[in-house]
Amino acid sequence: MIRLRPAALASVLVPTFFFALVAFAALSLWAPPASAACMDPPGQGVNWQRCAFDGLDLSGVNLAQARLRDGSFLRSKLSGADLSGVEAFRAKFINADLSAATLVGAQLFQADMTKANLRAADLQGADLRGARLYHADLKGANLTGARLEGADLTQADLSGATWTNGEHVCREGSVGRCN
């Protein structure tokens, strides 16, 4: 058994304790922000960045100007909701019900809307660049002024949708592109 004198023991413990204290302080400064905003009730301008609301019924809520960046709304009901001007970069709306929702001027860059119900949704001026709209239902949606560069519209139903130019209405049976 090795025995250290008090002075030798202190010379070992003090630097170790100091290093641990400095490391803890550094980690505290670099920690990601708390997600307390995820507990905030729905409302205009709410900050739900990186929050998960999978499977919730948010039908008819006013989320205009909300921050939904990297948020998750898988299988959520947002029918008739006001999502105008939302910042929803890379948000996930997979299998979400956004029928008759207002998404005017929404920033949906790289959002995943796979199999989303967007029937009669108002997407005027929405930024859907790089968005995934695979098998999405866009029947009767208004896409006037929407940006669709790089959007994946594979198997998306565009029947009756008003196209980006605001003048052309897609024919019945328009799947994957507006005919």
Side-chain angles (χ1 to χ4, degrees):
M1 179 165 149
I2 299 174
R3 290 191 168 206
L4 293 175
R5 285 183 256 144
L9 184 60
S11 68
V12 172
L13 290 180
V14 170
T16 304
F17 175 75
F18 180 72
F19 176 75
L21 185 62
V22 170
F24 176 76
L27 287 174
S28 298
L29 293 174
W30 293 101
S35 58
C38 296
M39 301 303 288
D40 290 348
Q44 187 171 352
V46 71
N47 182 359
W48 282 352
Q49 184 171 320
R50 289 187 221 102
C51 298
F53 293 99
D54 299 341
L56 292 184
D57 188 348
L58 297 165
S59 300
V61 297
N62 181 358
L63 293 173
Q65 306 302 317
R67 291 193 62 166
L68 309 177
R69 175 183 229 133
D70 296 311
S72 182
F73 296 87
L74 280 65
R75 297 172 313 285
S76 292
K77 292 182 174 84
L78 291 149
S79 58
D82 184 355
L83 297 160
S84 53
V86 296
E87 180 193 334
F89 298 111
R90 294 184 306 271
K92 290 176 178 47
F93 295 97
I94 300 167
N95 285 314
D97 182 359
L98 292 148
S99 58
T102 302
L103 293 137
V104 174
Q107 301 300 312
L108 298 160
F109 181 74
Q110 294 182 348
D112 192 345
M113 302 177 111
T114 298
K115 296 184 180 180
N117 178 357
L118 290 153
R119 277 184 182 232
D122 191 352
L123 291 150
Q124 292 183 69
D127 183 355
L128 291 158
R129 290 175 297 152
R132 185 161 168 79
L133 293 154
Y134 177 77
H135 264 283
D137 185 350
L138 289 150
K139 288 181 184 175
N142 187 350
L143 295 164
T144 302
R147 298 188 64 188
L148 294 169
E149 298 92 72
D152 180 2
L153 293 167
T154 305
Q155 296 299 311
D157 191 344
L158 296 158
S159 301
T162 303
W163 196 239
T164 58
N165 63 11
E167 298 173 10
H168 181 74
V169 176
C170 304
R171 289 194 318 254
E172 188 65 33
S174 292
V175 176
R177 65 182 185 167
C178 184
N179 296 321

